[in-house]
Amino acid sequence: MSMNTTTNKNYTNFFQVKTKHKGLLAWLLTTDHKRIGIMYLVSILSFFLVGLTFAFMMRLEMLTPGPTIVDAQTYNSFFTLHGMIMVFLFIIPGIPAVFGNFFLPLQIGADDVAFPRINLLSYYLYLAGAFLALYSLIFQTHIDTGWTFYVPYSLRTGTDVTLPLIAAFILGFSSIVTGLNFITTMHRMRIKGMTMFQMPLFSWSLYSTAWIQVLATPIIGITIVLVLLERSFGFGIFDPTLGGDPVLYQHLFWIYSHPAVYIMAIPAFGVISDVVATFSRKSIFGYKVMAYSTMSIAFIGYLVWAHHMFTSGMSDTARTVFSFLTFFVAIPTGVKVFNWVATLWRGTIVMSSPMLMALSAIFLFSIGGLTGLHLGSISTDVHLHDTYFVIAHFHYVIIGGILSMFIAAMHFWFPKMFGKMHNEKVAKVGVVMYFIGANVLYFPMFIMGYMGMPRRYFDYLPEFQIYHVVSTVGSWILITAILLMFTNLLIAIFKGKPAGSNPWGAKTLEWTMPSPPPLLNFIDTPVPSKDPYDYSDHDERIFRDLKNKENIINQENS
Amino acid sequence: MSGHNENTSVDKHEHVPSYGKNVMIWLALVALTALTVTVASVNLGNYTFFVAMLIASIKAMLVINIFMHIKYDDILMKSILIACGLVFTVIIIMYSFDLFNTYTG
């Protein structure tokens, strides 16, 4: 790919840099964090489109009761494929791997991450795990365990569970290595003069995410090894017929997988903070509280895993304790939502496509978060567990809050990454369609779930059909919106107008360099501001304008 | 741009324990392993588990502090270790709410 310099003809951007390798090898063997970020972007989006295809086919199958386009066993494979690809290959690595890699060093004034070669290793681990997963999922016997691999079914099923488990193990390594790299980068590579509390909130979100990656991922790694040993040698750790405990598996699985939800969500919160501050032309409301709440979510996330297991046969004491603790997550999360809204208050709001998407994400994520309270309460969870209510809650969080912020981040940082501007009108149409599609697709699932429609069922009673039909139509709107926005960005790479170094008027350090950035990022040593969102110059200008208007009115009156 | 890092003292933990000290720690680890094996053959009733864990913890502390140089390292490295210990402790305590109330309650 060759990108033209757009703002400064006297520098060579990272697309144009000549290395000892040429062509594709220059990309495959690069240690530049920006190129690795782009490679992650291409890979992750490719896997996302595969996962999206399975989602589309699942919804199509559910259009009518009984077989519509596939049989029951194939449907079971579809939801397993969709879940595994979306969770392990897209949403967990998503924002940190792509935008973290590209923008973390830029936001903290560094020329690269702390361990560039390990960064490339992390990418190849991801790729190896991804291809192994896809190979086993698509070309081996069709796995039907769901993405959770619950025992004892995953120990006994005749479908191939071993290869996907090994793939998840390798993907976990990639995640740990990236986390270690980010923590070290933030502590060792920050530019002189920038304290931790002067970092942009996106960097803070990557920091707390990295800690979860490092501390939680090894647990799922060990659990996977135990399942493999049990499947191969009958160790009797989880299988009740051998004296094992299947509930122990669920504990170990969710000890990782619940914090993993925060690996997905916290970086999205970071993007919202950066976008809302930029397009409100205001410093973020309660910066330090936002940083602390990010770390609090990461910490409390460790204490609530068993709320996924209220119907598993766990003890009543444990159910009560975990239900009680689950509500504490709402406090730092509520702080964040309040502070975003407070940032908007009296801001000079610019309704760009990333801002529209951020506002949509706050709304949709709040629905997802609030319905989580129904599932965190034991009494209602017993009724709603394993129904479409859970699917709706989860997708309001993931699609409404996280995927939408991934797309918002693509639009927000696109001009910096590629030096081109996308078509804002098309992007805004896409955002509106996305908002409508997400609601039409997922809201009927709340009703269905409340009425008792179980998740993962191939067939259903006729009274549920109307909701399934509405939901399937919603999926068409949502997918059209996603494809529209992606196509718009793809066209902009080749035909977009030059973006300039700071088209959004943002204040963080990545916007002080030309677009696309030079190889070692900063041409001149940047000077960090005490407030990463310092819009005082903007406030002064507004105040001056208002004062001038007031003077004119006074003169006219007199 | 590489010279403007905030923390340029990455290699400040230059303290290297002497060979003599390393050998002493190694001998202590061997002795503690022998003690573990010996204690296993003694019937201590309910205390068997706790004694075994105590000896294992002492061995882990020696390895972490001396062989892994954590004793001589800066607060960041120590905090990573403390965080791991904290997470492990929290997980065991939280899991015990289920374990002890399901099987012995």
Side-chain angles (χ1 to χ4, degrees), chain A residues 243-264:
Chain A
D245 180 5
V247 179
L248 174 63
Y249 173 84
Q250 294 192 27
H251 276 292
L252 289 170
F253 179 82
W254 288 112
I255 285 171
Y256 164 74
S257 296
H258 190 74
V261 174
Y262 300 109
I263 296 178
M264 308 170 198

Side-chain angles (χ1 to χ4, degrees), chain A residues 414-468:
Chain A
F414 181 85
K416 180 55 60 186
M417 294 170 92
F418 297 97
K420 299 287 181 67
M421 276 308 288
H422 55 267
N423 185 326
E424 265 288 273
K425 276 185 187 169
V426 176
K428 285 178 188 174
V429 170
V431 174
V432 172
M433 281 178 68
Y434 185 98
F435 181 80
I436 295 168
N439 279 299
V440 175
L441 168 55
Y442 298 118
F443 200 82
M445 292 185 183
F446 280 129
I447 304 167
M448 270 193 277
Y450 185 75
M451 290 166 65
M453 171 77 209
R455 69 191 290 198
R456 293 177 176 154
Y457 273 35
F458 165 72
D459 203 357
Y460 54 84
L461 297 170
E463 61 255 39
F464 292 116
Q465 188 175 9
I466 180 65
Y467 303 105
H468 278 297

Side-chain angles (χ1 to χ4, degrees), chain A residues 91 113 115 123 144 147 157 360 444 487 533:
Chain A
I91 209 83
V113 291
F115 309 115
Y123 172 72
D144 57 354
W147 74 277
T157 177
S360 155
T487 311
Y533 310 104

Side-chain angles (χ1 to χ4, degrees), chain A residues 298-359:
Chain A
F299 176 71
I300 299 171
Y302 277 103
L303 310 178
V304 301
W305 76 82
H307 65 214
H308 294 270
M309 302 164 51
F310 286 156
T311 61
S312 68
M314 193 169 59
S315 80
D316 286 345
T317 313
R319 294 201 304 172
T320 310
V321 169
F322 279 102
S323 178
F324 178 73
L325 289 173
T326 295
F327 289 94
F328 279 95
V329 184
I331 297 171
T333 315
V335 165
K336 281 193 172 298
V337 173
F338 179 85
N339 285 12
W340 290 325
V341 177
T343 304
L344 295 170
W345 188 63
R346 289 195 170 174
T348 309
I349 295 172
V350 181
M351 277 297 176
S352 63
S353 55
M355 180 65 158
L356 268 179
M357 202 55 148
L359 296 179

